[in-house]
Amino acid sequence: MELKENEPLYKLKELASILRSENGCAWDKAQTSQTLKPYLIEEAYEVYDAIDKDNKDELKEELGDLLYQVYAHAQIASEQMSFNIDDIANSIITKLIRRHPHVFGNSKMDSPTEVIKKWEEIKKSEKPERLSVLEGVPKNLPSLLKAYRIQQKVSNVGFDWDKIDDVINKLDEETTEFKEAITSNDKESIFEEMGDILFTLANISRFLGINPEEALSKTIDKFVRRFQYVEKETANSAKSINDMSLEELDDIWERAKEGKVEDLK
């Protein structure tokens, strides 16, 4: 079966249609928007990883995989007579023009802060049925990122600490309450206070202009590199990692921290 279209985006649209046609692919024909959800998230994370690695070829490939997810969902919706890929494109074009009055209109905004504030005002006016500014935060965001986005949203309407010192003091307060919960061995309180600490740390990250999800991700990567160095060193020794004392393992860990893990990056 050959593609008839010439332009790449039209080819992709045609391909999505063919794959779900009578003579198409059994797997593709069996998919729904519900079953495709995990792949959409997976492809988005693979794009994220490619950006993180600054690998342009990989980024191009992963963006293609993500783009096809959009076309696949559009094809399913088109078959259901709901909307098609052109409707999707027109929708985002209209929205972007509407939300950039300083570019396509007469408004004047000189700073990113002004732009974000106006953006939120426009979003709110678009959906007056929303009773809260927080209704626009996706339910299934990773929790740390969700905390960060919620704090951004409430900050845009003035619900915020005056300075970072206030948030640092809040962290001290939450840490004290966590220690008290530990001392009392109150499982429910320990659970709650741990959440309060993480939420406050996300707020501190926002004040510093740091995405907490990215910060934690980089720390995890650093830990993995160092631990893999420990594994490599123990594998080269006469003892198993399980037989080494904590002091011996800590000595190798300290060497990893000194910068001897470049070959594992």
Side-chain angles (χ1 to χ4, degrees):
M1 189 175 293
E2 294 184 2
L3 297 175
K4 299 176 182 178
E5 297 289 350
N6 293 318
E7 295 296 328
L9 292 179
Y10 287 109
K11 277 187 178 182
L12 193 55
K13 178 182 178 182
E14 183 186 7
L15 187 147
S17 176
I18 290 173
L19 288 176
R20 288 182 55 83
S21 67
E22 182 179 352
N23 298 317
C25 170
W27 185 89
D28 285 274
K29 289 190 288 185
Q31 301 312 303
T32 67
S33 286
Q34 284 291 332
T35 63
L36 287 175
K37 282 193 305 184
Y39 303 104
L40 180 64
I41 298 299
E42 181 180 328
E43 298 298 355
Y45 275 119
E46 289 180 357
V47 169
Y48 190 104
D49 288 344
I51 294 172
D52 213 33
K53 290 186 286 188
D54 195 26
N55 186 321
K56 303 304 184 202
D57 288 336
E58 188 173 327
L59 177 59
K60 178 180 68 175
E61 179 182 350
E62 299 303 344
L63 282 172
D65 291 343
L66 183 59
L67 180 62
Y68 180 70
Q69 286 295 310
V70 176
Y71 274 76
H73 282 276
Q75 176 61 31
I76 292 170
S78 177
E79 293 165 8
Q80 298 169 347
M81 306 296 288
S82 298
F83 57 83
N84 58 36
I85 193 68
D86 291 331
D87 295 326
I88 294 172
N90 284 328
S91 176
I92 187 61
I93 288 168
T94 301
K95 181 163 66 175
L96 286 173
I97 291 174
R98 184 172 64 247
R99 292 186 183 179
H100 289 82
H102 52 296
V103 177
F104 300 102
N106 299 320
S107 296
K108 183 172 176 59
M109 286 171 262
D110 298 319
S111 72
T113 302
E114 288 180 288
V115 171
I116 291 172
K117 186 175 181 180
K118 187 63 177 178
W119 180 280
E120 292 297 335
E121 289 176 0
I122 294 171
K123 283 182 66 176
K124 189 174 181 179
S125 68
E126 289 171 351
K127 298 184 177 179
E129 71 277 7
R130 284 184 175 173
L131 302 177
S132 168
V133 296
L134 301 181
E135 289 183 37
V137 178
K139 177 184 176 182
N140 294 309
L141 275 180
S143 294
L144 196 58
L145 180 58
K146 189 175 183 180
Y148 180 70
R149 291 293 292 127
I150 284 173
Q151 290 156 1
Q152 283 182 321
K153 293 279 188 180
V154 299
S155 175
N156 288 334
V157 295
F159 191 80
D160 202 358
W161 301 96
D162 291 328
K163 53 187 183 299
I164 192 171
D165 290 347
D166 296 329
V167 200
I168 298 293
N169 290 336
K170 183 64 175 175
L171 178 61
D172 292 338
E173 176 188 323
E174 298 296 355
T175 303
T176 298
E177 292 176 358
F178 178 70
K179 290 177 180 178
E180 291 171 353
I182 290 285
T183 301
S184 65
N185 198 29
D186 185 335
K187 302 296 185 185
E188 187 175 339
S189 292
I190 291 171
F191 185 88
E192 182 178 344
E193 297 303 339
M194 176 60 77
D196 290 345
I197 288 174
L198 292 172
F199 191 82
T200 304
L201 284 171
N203 211 6
I204 291 173
S205 297
R206 179 183 61 84
F207 261 88
L208 296 173
I210 297 171
N211 185 313
E213 195 76 32
E214 292 183 1
L216 181 57
S217 178
K218 287 189 179 297
T219 293
I220 292 170
D221 289 343
K222 180 173 63 177
F223 178 89
V224 168
R225 287 197 305 270
R226 290 176 179 176
F227 188 76
Q228 287 175 339
Y229 176 83
V230 172
E231 289 179 312
K232 181 181 177 183
E233 289 296 294
T234 55
N236 293 332
S237 71
K239 296 175 71 174
S240 164
I241 189 171
N242 295 322
D243 297 328
M244 285 190 167
S245 67
L246 182 58
E247 290 74 17
E248 289 174 307
L249 292 173
D250 192 56
D251 180 63
I252 302 173
W253 181 266
E254 288 301 320
R255 295 206 304 273
K257 286 177 63 177
E258 290 170 5
K260 303 182 187 301
V261 294
E262 289 80 3
D263 58 328
L264 293 174
K265 288 181 180 178

